[in-house]
Amino acid sequence: MVRILGIDPGLRFTGWGVITAQGNRLSHVADGVIATDSALSVPERLRHLHDALLELARNFAPDEAAVEETYVNRNGAATLKLGYARGVGLLVPMLLDIPVAEYGAKTVKRAVVGTGAATKEQVSMMVRRILPAALLRRADAADALAVAICHAHHRASAIHIANATRMA
């Protein structure tokens, strides 16, 4: 059994979700959102995000982590700030020697819904079906759990392929 921390980074709201995977069976452990105060400076918000993710990682002791990749939008400043938050999301697990995988939004949607063009509502609905115990207070938490589910599927596929290769 492996415990996976999924992170959907954002400077204002960072979604997080923890699941366990045993073979094809996935179970919900916890999920939520880290909110930062927009009145604070960017460095202060990043420190808050760092401290909160560090506490989550210590409390839930994941074996692996997965972070959604940054998409580029028209607002360069917003994309840059999202990149800062993503950097914190990548760094915190590594500081605890937790391996980190990265997945693009379309890859996550494809793994959870079956199409890379899925809407946020479709992703949330499928996360609820796959993990019925999930709280999903915000879409960011659903997205983080979707990242964790995506990683669990990719991880299981990689193990299956490795085992098949060894047998061949």
Side-chain angles (χ1 to χ4, degrees):
M1 182 168 67
V2 65
R3 184 171 280 207
I4 301 167
L5 169 63
I7 301 171
D8 177 38
L11 190 56
R12 186 153 186 239
F13 297 106
T14 291
W16 62 272
V18 180
I19 65 170
T20 58
Q22 188 165 17
N24 288 333
R25 185 171 183 208
L26 303 179
S27 300
H28 175 264
V29 175
D31 66 86
V33 174
I34 300 165
T36 64
D37 184 349
S38 58
L40 296 175
S41 69
V42 171
E44 289 171 314
R45 294 168 78 183
L46 292 172
R47 182 180 62 196
H48 174 75
L49 180 57
H50 168 273
D51 293 348
L53 283 173
L54 191 60
E55 183 178 343
L56 284 170
R58 286 182 174 149
N59 288 342
F60 290 106
D63 301 299
E64 299 176 11
V67 179
E68 189 170 74
E69 292 178 346
T70 303
Y71 61 91
V72 178
N73 63 31
R74 292 181 185 149
N75 183 339
T79 301
L80 190 59
K81 289 176 183 178
L82 177 59
Y84 295 156
R86 186 171 175 279
V88 172
L90 292 168
L91 176 65
V92 169
M94 290 305 302
L95 290 173
L96 299 173
D97 296 319
I98 299 167
V100 181
E102 304 171 71
Y103 299 97
K106 286 187 178 185
T107 301
V108 172
K109 290 174 181 181
R110 197 174 310 116
V112 175
V113 180
T115 176
T119 65
K120 280 201 171 281
E121 292 78 18
Q122 290 171 317
V123 171
S124 183
M125 185 207 55
M126 285 305 296
V127 168
R128 285 186 193 281
R129 291 187 67 94
I130 295 167
L131 303 169
L135 300 175
L136 306 183
R137 291 183 185 102
R138 289 188 53 89
D140 307 282
D143 290 347
L145 286 169
V147 173
I149 292 166
C150 175
H151 181 64
H153 289 327
H154 278 81
R155 182 182 189 285
S157 295
I159 290 169
H160 181 71
I161 291 167
N163 289 339
T165 304
R166 272 186 259 157
M167 292 180 162

